Amino acid sequence: MKRTLLAVLPSFSNARAISYGAALFLGLLGSATSSSATVLTATNSSWKITASAPSASDWNSNAAFDDSAWQSATELASWPGYAAKVIWSSGGQYSTTETQVWARAIFNLGTLPLSAFLNNGFDDDGDIFINGVQVVSDHNGYASNSFADITSYLTLGNNLIAFTATDNYPVWGYNHGAAVQVDATFAQVPEPATLALLGLGLAGLGLMRRRTA
């Protein structure tokens, strides 16, 4: 029987979780996400996913790639502390035939962030791409999580995030899932009240100069 770190199972306190104690897939990541961060995208049922290898090689680089035949992702569980859901194809967490999936989503940026970090967890292995650039390569053979700074790979307008995930079922049995979230911080925009005070201050300076003149 496979020992997993997925939150859909009742407990993390299993032999595998102890063996890979520092590589927890779910939870214990809250400190990595700023409370003021904006979630740019997070895996959920709105993501497109398929258990069949894409026919075109640009599935992970072309925002206009036709994924209309792909299915909506199946949500397996919540990811504690995150907006993201653990997802897979419709075969579900224990499918013996859908052991590799390909998934993608589009998010739009009207302003580039000061920083953007990708948090992800795969049970068991996976690769993640941002606008065609590979930013994560996780092939350790067991459930784990990782982080990546993707700030320099983002562009104004549409951005594509895509991944492929594989279950290492020959070792652990059939039990799989994937979760991805991108958090960003943006430059602070002054509130209207602050702008109004600034305007009054500038007007006051102008009036004082007139009087002294």
Side-chain angles (χ1 to χ4, degrees):
M1 178 181 294
K2 180 177 183 178
R3 305 184 185 106
T4 181
L5 300 180
L6 280 171
V8 285
L9 295 187
S11 173
F12 291 119
S13 58
N14 52 61
R16 187 178 177 193
I18 296 172
S19 176
Y20 301 112
L24 288 176
F25 171 34
L26 298 175
L28 305 182
L29 300 180
S31 61
T33 304
S34 169
S35 59
S36 62
T38 298
V39 178
L40 298 184
T41 186
T43 46
N44 56 31
S45 59
S46 70
W47 280 51
K48 303 292 285 186
I49 198 167
T50 181
S52 302
S55 57
S57 60
D58 63 346
W59 69 276
N60 59 1
S61 61
N62 181 8
F65 174 84
D66 184 10
D67 57 12
S68 59
W70 293 24
Q71 60 189 256
S72 297
T74 297
E75 295 182 3
L76 304 179
S78 296
W79 192 5
Y82 287 81
K85 305 297 183 181
V86 182
I87 64 170
W88 203 256
S89 57
S90 60
Q93 180 184 351
Y94 304 107
S95 173
T96 60
T97 56
E98 298 180 7
T99 56
Q100 181 175 8
V101 295
W102 293 259
R104 42 181 273 137
I106 304 292
F107 59 95
N108 188 276
L109 287 176
T111 304
L112 290 177
L114 297 175
S115 64
F117 286 88
L118 182 151
N119 310 306
N120 70 275
F122 287 123
D123 191 348
D124 292 291
D125 298 323
D127 297 310
I128 305 179
F129 305 84
I130 299 293
N131 296 322
V133 179
Q134 186 168 0
V135 294
V136 170
S137 179
D138 174 5
H139 294 274
N140 54 24
Y142 54 85
S144 60
N145 62 271
S146 62
F147 308 89
D149 182 349
I150 62 169
T151 310
S152 62
Y153 305 117
L154 300 179
T155 62
L156 290 174
N158 285 337
N159 288 264
L160 169 66
I161 180 170
F163 72 79
T164 180
T166 307
D167 182 24
N168 187 17
Y169 64 87
V171 175
W172 301 111
Y174 298 97
N175 199 328
H176 29 257
V180 175
Q181 180 166 318
V182 176
D183 296 309
T185 56
F186 292 86
Q188 293 293 324
V189 178
E191 296 182 1
T194 302
L195 291 175
L197 289 173
L198 178 60
L200 287 173
L202 292 175
L205 286 175
L207 182 59
M208 289 177 62
R209 286 182 178 178
R210 288 182 183 177
R211 288 179 176 178
T212 55

